[in-house]
Amino acid sequence: MSSNNQILLTSVGSYLPKKKISNDNLAKIMDTSDEWIKKRTGIKFRHFVEDNELTSDMGTNAAEQAILNARLKANDIDLIIVATTTPDNTFPSTASKIQRNIGCKAISFDVQAVCAGFVYAISIGASMLKDGYGDKCLIVGADSMSKILDWNDRSTAVLFGDGAGAVILEKTTAVNEFVHNDKWGILATKIFTNGEYYDLLNTDGGVSKSKSTGFLRMNGKEIFKHAVEKLSSSLLMCLEVSNMDIRDIDWFIPHQANQRIIDAVSNKIKIPQEKIISTISIHGNTSAASIPLALDVATKKGNIKNGNILALQAIGGGLSWGSLILKIGKPS
Ligand code: UT7
């Protein structure tokens, strides 16, 4: 392993299912209101898959876009890591299905870290590329959360949406290794798990527990507190590792779970509001897809540019959480 290897994030893609669901649509089937949902979460819309639309279908669409944007072919991909909580089948991995769909022979597997899955998958992918498992890695975050929601539980059913996002990681030897502070790609990652909080956010069933998938259950108030503390602390650790200050970050892309969590983290560690990418109002919480979806929206708008420093922050069931800092794109 060469210490000069840099792991660049060179391309993004995303996919949203066509069916767009407003808060008013939900208020027709449960005791809730547009006013409550907007005020308590910031969510206005979310997208849901059709019954016959699979997590792998969304992931494949996002992956194909990311591969195209990177000017690569599917065959160039050496490694596929899919972060998902809602796989097509109990086994094999959704990554195997996406591999088949896009047509390549990459090493392919899923990562289960719920809403933190995308940050986990990038950390794992970057380490594997450094360790010699190939030069190009496709990371997909894809979830069909609508399929594990209990429509009788208004405290969770209004929060989630479906979608997929994908990025390409590419290994390269350091281009400007002698130029001070001109490192590109993944600059710092910190990921954590604490199983003591297993019961705060989980499904009430599973293969070995009930031979079923179960429905999503959450202690929202407790998760809210952990989210604010852990999203903040993991990002501060990344800043320390990369010898950076919060002012060095161009864009913050937090997990999109609740606008109030995003605002509380911003107040706690003094993140300027105008540097935060928030898509919670149009996507809801799409679990592992939330960060790459937001990244793609901001990239397509032209907000995020080659060479910008990004901070990503995520937390989900487990509890699993983490942050990472990267310089997006590649030196020209
Ligand atoms: O992706 C993983 C990370 N997930 C999260 O980070 C989610 C974290 N938690 C949250 O975002 C918030 O805790 C929620 C949005 C889930 C809930 O917000 P809250 O301000 O903590 O509300 P609450 O649970 O304290 O409920 C307040 C009231 C209750 O009524 P009473 O007991 O005060 O009469 C609830 O029954 O709001 C009621 N309520 C609703 N009312 C209308 C709960 N859900 C709804 C609803 N519509 N959908």
Side-chain angles (χ1 to χ4, degrees):
M1 184 176 110
S2 161
S3 59
N4 288 334
N5 285 341
Q6 294 190 359
I7 308 302
L8 306 181
L9 194 158
T10 56
S11 174
V12 195
S14 72
Y15 175 82
L16 277 174
K18 290 201 174 49
K19 204 193 321 174
K20 187 175 168 184
I21 304 289
S22 69
N23 295 339
D24 286 332
N25 293 146
L26 293 180
K28 286 186 187 135
I29 58 164
M30 68 185 78
D31 182 14
T32 190
S33 66
D34 178 48
E35 192 197 354
W36 190 93
I37 301 170
K38 271 200 306 223
K39 192 162 160 226
R40 307 307 293 168
T41 72
I43 299 168
K44 295 179 184 164
F45 298 97
R46 75 286 289 141
H47 291 248
F48 285 162
V49 283
E50 300 291 345
D51 286 348
N52 63 355
E53 193 173 19
L54 305 180
T55 297
S56 64
D57 296 329
M58 295 193 292
T60 299
N61 276 304
E64 283 173 342
Q65 219 182 83
I67 292 168
L68 194 73
N69 289 342
R71 297 194 173 84
L72 296 174
K73 299 212 162 37
N75 262 334
D76 297 325
I77 305 295
D78 304 303
L79 189 57
I80 300 176
I81 308 178
V82 175
T84 187
T85 301
T86 48
D88 292 8
N89 293 72
T90 301
F91 78 87
S93 68
T94 300
S96 315
K97 180 80 82 70
I98 292 176
Q99 187 227 54
R100 185 178 81 183
N101 289 351
I102 65 175
C104 70
K105 293 285 175 278
I107 303 163
S108 303
F109 62 94
D110 289 357
V111 164
Q112 163 57 288
V114 207
C115 302
F118 185 73
V119 168
Y120 267 59
I122 290 197
S123 306
I124 296 164
S127 296
M128 288 184 73
L129 292 185
K130 280 188 180 170
D131 277 352
Y133 285 91
D135 295 331
K136 294 183 176 52
C137 174
L138 166 69
I139 307 277
V140 179
D143 266 310
S144 310
M145 298 306 281
S146 63
K147 293 190 177 172
I148 55 166
L149 293 176
D150 175 0
W151 301 109
N152 295 312
D153 177 8
R154 67 177 181 171
S155 71
T156 54
V158 302
L159 304 176
F160 293 87
D162 303 334
V167 298
I168 304 286
L169 300 181
E170 296 188 47
K171 182 167 74 179
T172 175
T173 46
V175 185
N176 288 315
E177 61 190 291
F178 300 113
V179 179
H180 176 65
N181 213 15
D182 195 23
K183 289 193 180 131
W184 286 68
I186 313 299
L187 304 177
T189 75
K190 285 280 176 189
I191 53 175
F192 302 92
T193 314
N194 189 341
E196 271 180 43
Y197 305 118
Y198 189 95
D199 295 332
L200 290 183
L201 174 51
N202 58 15
T203 53
D204 58 8
V207 180
S208 79
K209 192 177 176 188
S210 64
K211 299 186 200 166
S212 68
T213 50
F215 289 115
L216 186 147
R217 303 291 174 211
M218 176 166 68
N219 180 334
K221 277 207 184 312
E222 284 303 308
I223 292 290
F224 193 111
K225 284 186 248 167
H226 282 289
V228 175
E229 193 270 310
K230 293 176 169 51
L231 295 174
S232 303
S233 59
S234 57
L235 177 58
L236 292 177
M237 285 180 214
C238 285
L239 287 169
E240 197 179 331
V241 170
S242 51
N243 201 17
M244 282 186 181
D245 186 89
I246 209 115
R247 283 165 297 197
D248 295 323
I249 307 293
D250 296 305
W251 294 105
F252 295 82
I253 311 184
H255 171 48
Q256 311 284 317
N258 187 327
Q259 187 61 44
R260 285 161 53 221
I261 294 176
I262 297 175
D263 293 344
V265 172
S266 149
N267 285 336
K268 190 176 166 81
I269 59 172
K270 308 281 175 278
I271 300 174
Q273 286 283 345
E274 66 277 10
K275 288 188 170 183
I276 299 173
I277 310 283
S278 175
T279 54
I280 181 86
S281 66
I282 53 169
H283 295 157
N285 181 347
T286 55
S287 189
S290 98
I291 289 177
L293 267 169
L295 174 61
D296 199 38
V297 166
T299 306
K300 285 195 175 118
K301 271 190 189 163
N303 291 339
I304 293 179
K305 295 191 177 65
N306 195 53
N308 277 171
I309 309 271
L310 312 185
L312 317 185
Q313 304 162 278
I315 183 163
L319 288 179
S320 316
W321 70 97
S323 290
L324 69 85
I325 294 178
L326 67 102
K327 186 170 189 175
I328 195 166
K330 47 181 152 189
S332 46

